[in-house]
Amino acid sequence: MTDYQLKVHAESFGAVAAEYDRARPSYPIELLDTIEELTGRPLKGATVLDVGAGTGIATRLLRARGALVTAVEPSPGMAAQLHAVSPEIPLVKGDGNELPFHDATADLISYAQAFHWTEPDRSIPEALRVLRPGGALVLFWNLKDRSLPWLAEQEARLSAALPSYHYYGLMNAVTEPLGRYPFEVHNRVLRWERRITVEDVITDLRSKSYFAVAEPALRESVLAEERAALLEVFPDGEVTEPYSVDLTVAVKRD
Ligand SMILES: C[S@@+](CC[C@H](N)C(=O)[O-])C[C@H]1O[C@@H](n2cnc3c(N)ncnc32)[C@H](O)[C@@H]1O
């Protein structure tokens, strides 16, 4: 993707914020346990900036654990959805490449499904600046298990039909630069699954940036074909989606 295409995709979410909040997967509760284990501190009472908070899916989980979490989000549409659903969550308009916070003020900076939208050469130094000594940058992504035949077939259909289809296997590319900075880096993979309806699979797809930027007629015809293909595999309309959460915790050295 060119820088321009990346920017168009990164800014596409506002138009699909309601669909995003309704159908995107949340994260397994073990993720919070693992973050506590790898950072060596409880989330309860920790000052957390959840950057690229979107509609607040991860922000709400962190807050429920007792973290003092502020949502940071550049997209007005996503921020509006977050505020409508969770008005109690402090929300700041901001970008991971230029965090609007003072030096050494956060215990944790989290990016749920969002760090790949930043420029690591800017967002990593920004995180280091804003983290307290011993604080941690916490990056995670939900990834579908593409080895399952129905998911492999879906991917083949989408990549043939949509010019900007992409799968996020980019995690290594965006986390690898952490090694050049004063961090102690830990990685974990956590497997989990969810059961949803075919209609929610379609809503989830609708909230992907490669659908959000597609021309409307193309988007609707691809989604209609996808619905029909899914109903052939899942005639009762219920789908089990297997995920792994790819987690990187980078603890700032003192
Ligand atoms: C895939 S969504 C993730 C939302 C949420 N964290 C979640 O877990 O569902 C990616 C979010 O990153 C935001 N984003 C895009 N560019 C960004 C940047 N440079 N810095 C911070 N967030 C960015 C988008 O507006 C969008 O809300």
Side-chain angles (χ1 to χ4, degrees), residues 64 92 143 169 198 201 210 212 219 227 229 236:
V92 171
L143 305 173
V198 164
V201 175
Y210 45 82
R219 175 172 64 228
R227 181 183 290 107
D236 65 354

Side-chain angles (χ1 to χ4, degrees), residues 57-237:
I57 295 175
T59 326
R60 284 187 278 276
L61 289 180
L62 292 162
R63 186 177 160 96
R65 262 295 168 106
L68 308 173
V69 58
T70 298
V72 183
E73 172 55 46
S75 154
M78 293 296 256
Q81 178 73 28
L82 186 152
H83 186 67
V85 177
S86 307
E88 70 287 0
I89 295 181
L91 172 61
V92 171
K93 182 172 165 55
D95 183 316
N97 297 321
E98 205 175 351
L99 289 171
F101 298 97
H102 294 297
D103 296 2
T105 46
D107 295 316
L108 300 182
I109 296 178
S110 55
Y111 280 87
Q113 215 90 350
F115 190 66
H116 56 285
W117 294 120
T118 72
E119 297 165 41
D121 290 345
R122 296 174 67 198
S123 55
I124 296 174
E126 271 301 80
L128 273 172
R129 180 182 67 74
V130 173
L131 283 171
R132 296 189 176 120
L137 179 58
V138 177
L139 313 177
F140 49 94
W141 289 267
N142 260 325
L143 305 173
K144 280 186 196 157
D145 178 356
R146 298 144 84 214
S147 65
L148 284 190
W150 74 269
L151 277 168
E153 284 158 19
Q154 179 177 76
E155 176 165 36
R157 286 191 299 270
L158 296 183
S159 58
L162 295 170
S164 64
Y165 174 80
H166 51 265
Y167 172 81
Y168 285 111
L170 305 173
M171 280 78 241
N172 288 346
V174 291
T175 58
E176 182 270 333
L178 290 168
R180 300 202 297 269
Y181 296 88
F183 281 117
E184 195 178 299
V185 181
H186 307 271
N187 295 106
R188 282 287 171 84
V189 174
L190 307 169
R191 298 190 193 290
W192 71 287
E193 59 182 40
R194 68 168 179 169
R195 256 181 99 65
I196 61 169
T197 62
V198 164
E199 221 35 64
D200 279 343
V201 175
I202 298 300
T203 305
D204 185 2
L205 287 174
R206 200 180 274 288
S207 77
K208 303 282 185 186
S209 61
Y210 45 82
F211 271 106
V213 302
E215 195 262 314
L218 174 67
R219 175 172 64 228
E220 295 311 317
S221 76
V222 174
L223 287 173
E225 281 168 24
E226 219 30 61
R227 181 183 290 107
L230 284 166
L231 283 170
E232 272 193 22
V233 184
F234 303 102
D236 65 354

Side-chain angles (χ1 to χ4, degrees), residues 32-78:
L32 302 173
D33 301 334
T34 310
I35 291 171
E36 290 182 332
E37 179 198 329
L38 297 179
T39 58
R41 62 156 304 148
L43 284 164
K44 190 171 169 37
T47 303
V48 180
L49 304 176
D50 186 35
V51 187
T55 64
I57 295 175
T59 326
R60 284 187 278 276
L61 289 180
L62 292 162
R63 186 177 160 96
R65 262 295 168 106
L68 308 173
V69 58
T70 298
V72 183
E73 172 55 46
S75 154
M78 293 296 256

